[in-house]
Amino acid sequence: MVNKRKKAVQYILMALITIMVVFPFVWMLVLSFKTNSEILSSPLSLPKTFNFENYKHAMETLNFPRLYGNTLFVCIISLVAELVITFCSSFVLARMEFKNEKIWKRALIFPYIATSISFNTLLLVGYLKSLPTEIDEAAVIDGCNIWDLMVRVILPMTKPVIATVVIFNVLYIWNEFPFASVMLRDVSDYTLSMGASFFKGTYTVDYGGIVASSVMIIIPELIFYGIFQKNIVEGMTAGAVKG
């Protein structure tokens, strides 16, 4: 009887948490079908008529193919650079020993280069420390140099954590706005997060356009996250192991 009550409480809590997580997206989806006057006067009610004018206006205002292309370009280049730096610094921190302690202070600088790299290093170091050191010894005995050990032996074993790092960084870069707003001056170079700012003028705000464009930006993220959700769980579990 106690177990049944406990399960019932757990299901109720799960349902409440799910509603809290899903509600903002559902609300945004409903708002995207409203006119600006409806959004301002009755934001919590259902739209009087479901129309796609906001989406049509968003497609006419924004060059989505270019925005998606710019965002993907930034994601790919950033991820390649982050993964190279992260994996090399994590390998040094987790697998190598130095006689000179000052070198460790130089190695500590790498996680501070960027917030994403510090998070990636946290995951990778934990995972690399969990791997048996006998793997390194066997590889060295077989004639592997340090580069071959990193790339051919250790790197293939880090696929779960690498997948998690890629997913989290893609989602971060996809939504990143502060850096993009400062660095990007040419409209042709704008990313998706910058594209939504087109609907905000000096004296007016097109709320319908903002919501509709936001929905179009979020949907690919949800699909991407849904497809690779299993990899996120596996990578977080693998990277959380203490060394």
Side-chain angles (χ1 to χ4, degrees), residues 25 28 62-79 82 116 165-181 184 189-197 212-225 228:
F25 177 73
M28 184 172 65
L62 302 179
N63 186 350
F64 273 98
R66 179 178 287 276
L67 293 175
Y68 278 112
N70 291 338
T71 304
L72 288 173
F73 176 79
V74 171
C75 281
I76 292 169
I77 300 300
S78 299
L79 281 172
E82 286 177 12
S116 58
V165 167
V166 170
I167 294 164
F168 272 106
N169 281 277
V170 166
L171 295 177
Y172 166 71
I173 295 170
W174 195 271
N175 293 304
E176 201 283 321
F177 180 80
F179 285 146
S181 64
L184 301 180
D189 295 330
Y190 278 10
T191 57
L192 287 166
S193 60
M194 285 290 292
S197 63
S213 61
S214 299
V215 171
M216 297 173 72
I217 292 170
I218 289 175
I219 287 178
E221 287 185 84
L222 296 177
I223 296 172
F224 179 80
Y225 186 86
F228 295 102

Side-chain angles (χ1 to χ4, degrees), residues 12 50 72 76 107 114 117-119 147 152-153 168 172 182 190-191 194 198 217 219 221 223 230-231 242:
I12 291 171
F50 284 87
L72 288 173
I76 292 169
I117 292 180
S118 62
F119 173 74
W147 180 254
R152 296 184 179 181
V153 180
F168 272 106
Y172 166 71
V182 173
Y190 278 10
T191 57
M194 285 290 292
F198 277 92
I217 292 170
I219 287 178
E221 287 185 84
I223 296 172
K230 184 179 179 181
N231 298 85
K242 283 189 177 182

